[in-house]
Amino acid sequence: MIQVFPSENNYINCSQLKLTMMKKVYTVIIISMMVIYVSAQNSVNSWTGRIISRNLHNTVAYGNFMQGISDSHLSSSRFFGGNTVYDQKKMLAEMQKLDNMEYQEYNSGTSLWVNSYLDEFTYNANGHNTSNTYSDWSMFHNMYEPSFKEDYNYDASGNMTERLTSMWDSISSQWYSLAKSDYTYDNQGNPMVQYSYYWDESTMDWIAIGKEEYTYASNNLTLVISYIWNDFASEWMTSYKSEYMFNAGGYITTSTDYTWDFIGNVWKYESKTESSYNAGNQLIMDIMYSWSIAGSSWVNDAKDNYIYDADMNMTSVVYSIWNGSLWADDGHDDYTYNNAYTYNELLMPWIFTQFENSRVITGHMITLSTGYDAGSSIPSNRTIFNYSSTTVTGIAEIPDGKVAVYPQPASVSVKFSWPANYQSLKLEVSDVSGKIISYQQVEKNRAVSVQNLSSGMYFYRLINNSNTFYTGKLLIN
């Protein structure tokens, strides 16, 4: 994490600080281009396994302002859509918005929790996250002081088109531009190209530094290729790529990362993650591998096991590392929820919606995350999630017509048909209490089995690019 702690007797020269930070951000952007994000376009109602579990507390801080730059398992960029937006036609919906997350570390000597940093969020009337402000706790001033900020701009469809990163200069009390990313989409709302830039003060202009290109199959991201800009040759240079395989429900089963060998002009293995799920498409395990050049084979690296309660909330993630002969304890995270609110009733910032293609399905409002070191029953850190009520304008994507669901009632299978030009959407089914029963990718006019559902009434949501496309009732007999 990049931190600046001003002291009473040691003021940092602003220009030197900005130059140092620019170099760091320049490096971060390059790395982020090589480690591309895997998350949100195909929307699952929660956040991804490894980054929100292994690194949830770190993602709150600016140190991971590119969200996942140190974790090659989460490589792609399908987070750009708006947040969960909320019902058909144009209407008002009362939501619980996540205002901030407070990260604290436990002092075992005093048995007290100590403030570390704060992540604050703002939203527009449509429920889109418009800014994230990262603040560090100042022991000298006994308060949070801003450090970095991200601002987000969207198009009329709710797709994030621009992401601006700024640094706070406490001496001049101003925000200074550091970096930005621009995004383009296809007609189904899938990100196609991401360009990344840094701000050059000498020219007062944005300088291109990285590019990512995305390829899809059945609306699933299957390939990401990253490039860095070569000033000397005035061309994009291939740098990194990630390939993804999916199960029938549209969930990632294998992600493989490669680096480009500039000398041999070939792709070389770097890392791989294999993911497994239960019958409800909940992620239950990730196994991470690294490529051994000496052995020309994949070797174990780390393993994450995911545990859920009866309400489909992820309650714990248990981490293991490979010590050469067996899996060893590497700590765990526990999560606490308020089941009075389902996830559909929450307004979450993009650092959560970006993980909606991640494989973790959680049904309710997360209120606390607590981390434990290996072999310890004493917590080492925690994140507190603070919410407040707000009213959001939901804007549907269907201007005319309705989604057809047939047959109704159903006993074996149903088909969904919609007028818009989308080949496939995500389908979420919940019972009358709001509990999420299933989540899967569905294609237009393709049969979806409902034999695992008991007789009764259910509610469904069709989701595209993190936005609710349509909602309705589903009858089973």
Side-chain angles (χ1 to χ4, degrees), residues 27-38:
T27 302
V28 166
I29 297 176
I30 292 178
I31 296 174
S32 68
M33 291 297 95
M34 298 178 179
V35 182
I36 336 160
Y37 307 98
V38 169

Side-chain angles (χ1 to χ4, degrees), residues 89-101:
K89 296 302 178 186
K90 188 169 183 178
M91 59 184 297
L92 297 180
E94 184 173 348
M95 311 293 295
Q96 299 297 314
K97 65 182 175 72
L98 180 61
D99 294 315
N100 61 67
M101 298 191 296

Side-chain angles (χ1 to χ4, degrees), residues 60-198:
V60 176
Y62 179 79
N64 282 349
F65 84 89
M66 285 301 207
Q67 294 307 322
I69 59 175
S70 63
D71 193 336
S72 61
H73 174 46
L74 300 174
S75 329
S76 108
S77 197
R78 296 188 288 173
F79 57 86
F80 312 112
N83 302 306
T84 316
V85 188
Y86 309 90
D87 263 336
Q88 183 61 5
K89 296 302 178 186
K90 188 169 183 178
M91 59 184 297
L92 297 180
E94 184 173 348
M95 311 293 295
Q96 299 297 314
K97 65 182 175 72
L98 180 61
D99 294 315
N100 61 67
M101 298 191 296
E102 298 178 83
Y103 175 71
Q104 299 175 331
E105 296 180 345
Y106 187 71
N107 186 325
S108 58
T110 62
S111 298
L112 296 174
W113 288 101
V114 180
N115 291 332
S116 181
Y117 46 82
L118 179 73
D119 195 3
E120 299 174 284
F121 313 106
T122 62
Y123 309 83
N124 62 20
N126 292 331
H128 296 132
N129 180 201
T130 53
S131 72
N132 288 13
T133 302
Y134 307 85
S135 301
D136 294 313
W137 181 257
S138 169
M139 297 181 66
F140 176 72
H141 293 111
N142 199 36
M143 60 182 292
Y144 285 109
E145 297 182 338
S147 178
F148 294 91
K149 181 178 70 166
E150 291 184 342
D151 293 290
Y152 314 113
N153 294 312
Y154 302 84
D155 62 20
S157 298
N159 299 314
M160 184 185 291
T161 56
E162 184 179 58
R163 180 180 174 191
L164 299 167
T165 304
S166 307
M167 183 195 73
W168 178 253
D169 180 3
S170 60
I171 298 175
S172 63
S173 296
Q174 296 183 61
W175 290 105
Y176 286 89
S177 296
L178 288 179
K180 78 165 183 171
S181 293
D182 293 336
Y183 311 104
T184 62
Y185 300 81
D186 63 14
N187 60 6
Q188 296 193 50
N190 294 315
M192 297 303 295
V193 182
Q194 170 187 337
Y195 291 97
S196 293
Y197 308 83
Y198 74 93

Side-chain angles (χ1 to χ4, degrees), residues 375-389:
S376 176
S377 60
I378 300 175
S380 60
N381 52 63
R382 72 179 182 183
T383 299
I384 302 171
F385 299 76
N386 297 306
Y387 301 81
S388 66
S389 297

Side-chain angles (χ1 to χ4, degrees), residues 315-471:
T315 56
S316 185
V317 183
V318 179
Y319 311 116
S320 304
I321 57 173
W322 185 253
N323 67 7
S325 59
L326 52 82
W327 292 110
D329 177 26
D330 196 29
H332 68 278
D333 285 342
D334 291 339
Y335 303 98
T336 304
Y337 298 85
N338 179 355
N339 285 347
Y341 299 97
T342 67
Y343 190 85
N344 295 338
E345 298 175 273
L346 306 182
L347 187 60
M348 305 297 283
W350 78 269
I351 62 171
F352 281 76
T353 61
Q354 71 161 321
F355 300 130
E356 288 198 337
N357 180 47
S358 59
R359 298 90 0 94
V360 182
I361 301 175
T362 293
H364 298 88
M365 173 193 282
I366 184 172
T367 57
L368 180 67
S369 170
T370 307
Y372 297 82
D373 294 332
S376 176
S377 60
I378 300 175
S380 60
N381 52 63
R382 72 179 182 183
T383 299
I384 302 171
F385 299 76
N386 297 306
Y387 301 81
S388 66
S389 297
T390 188
T391 300
V392 174
T393 301
I395 300 178
E397 298 186 41
I398 306 176
D400 296 297
K402 297 179 68 176
V403 168
V405 184
Y406 57 95
Q408 284 260 49
S411 57
V412 178
S413 65
V414 295
K415 293 182 180 180
F416 294 83
S417 179
W418 49 83
N421 185 31
Y422 300 124
Q423 181 59 34
S424 64
L425 296 169
K426 287 290 186 181
L427 169 67
E428 175 193 279
V429 178
S430 58
D431 63 19
V432 292
S433 71
K435 179 180 178 180
I436 299 172
I437 303 299
S438 67
Y439 202 96
Q440 61 183 299
Q441 187 89 11
V442 296
E443 295 187 12
K444 183 188 290 188
N445 297 318
R446 186 70 62 85
V448 179
S449 175
V450 293
Q451 294 184 73
N452 63 323
L453 299 179
S454 302
S455 297
M457 184 178 71
Y458 297 85
F459 298 97
Y460 71 85
R461 282 202 309 150
L462 291 171
I463 304 165
N464 178 66
N465 197 32
S466 303
N467 290 326
T468 295
F469 181 85
Y470 200 85
T471 63

